[in-house]
Structure formats: structure tokens, C-alpha cells
Amino acid sequence: MDTTNQNPVMFPAAQEFHLSFRVSNLAESTRFYEHFLGVAPKQSTARFSTFIVPHLCLNLVILVNDRGEALDTYSLYHVGLGVKDRAAVIESYHRAMAAGAEIVKPPRTTWRGTPLHELWLRDPTGYNIEVYARLTDAELAEMPADQEPFFLVPGTEPK
């Protein structure tokens, strides 16, 4: 079999990731994503808002729910956003709090599964957003024997 034209990388020079989903309240979701992403919509109409986020290589479009039915936020389990480091996860937490997001899991370092610094929140429609940073080798070396999560913002630990 000739494999000379096969490329194991399907998108070797991708420039942007495009994500589009429906929201229950376009105005509320537009405000949330503007604050959370730190950019104003490039275009906003009565039917959609488009966010171009160069530092994330992201083109996000949120659309009105024009069926009048409840949106299924179960099917889209979550959208993950990988950030540079632990400090960026903590900064995202403060941005999310300022945007009025529901915090599902406060910023913490987890060791089980894929070790990460992570934050889980919900947008106004109820979609889960995971903000995470992979651990450095030095951070991995700090793993506690019990592998219990370490909360990154004082006062966010479970009571």
C-alpha cells in the first residue's frame, strides 16, 4: 500500500477553532462571554453573537434558541479551555466570579486521572466549562501521597 500521500496530521496548520451552540438568553450569554473571554463580540445581532478570540485561536458563535424548547445541556458535557498555568486558572476563577458564573468546582489541583490545575463553572444556559492547565514536572513531583485535591484559592475548600 502506497502511503506517500497520507499525512498523520489531519489539520497540520489549523489557525482557528470554531465552536457554535445555542443559548437560552442571548443577551445574558453575550455579556457573560464578553466578560469571561475578555473581548467584545465582533458581531452581535438579535439572532447571534460572534466572538473572535485571537489568543485562544477561537471563533465562538452563540445563537438564540428559536425552538422554544429547553436546551439539552446534558449532551454537551463540557467545553474545555486549556490555559498556560496555575495562575491563569486562578485568574479565570476571578473573571468567572466577576461575570456571575456558577462555580461548579473551585480552582484546585487534582492528581487522580489526568493531573491538572482545574476550574469548573457553568455559563448562563447551564453548559459546563472546564478551565485547566497541565502540571509541570516540578508540580507533578509535589503530588501528595493521599492524592487529595489542593484548593488554589483560600476559602474555596469544601466545609
Side-chain angles (χ1 to χ4, degrees), residues 96-111:
M97 292 293 291
E102 175 189 351
I103 303 301
V104 177
K105 295 177 187 175
R108 62 197 188 138
T109 301
T110 60
W111 309 99

Side-chain angles (χ1 to χ4, degrees), residues 21-35 49 51 60 62-63 123-127:
F21 52 89
R22 298 203 181 273
V23 296
S24 56
N25 181 314
L26 182 61
E28 182 181 24
S29 292
T30 298
R31 283 189 302 275
F32 170 82
Y33 281 103
E34 180 173 3
H35 192 85
S49 292
F51 295 87
L60 172 65
I62 54 176
L63 305 154
D123 81 352
T125 297
Y127 294 115

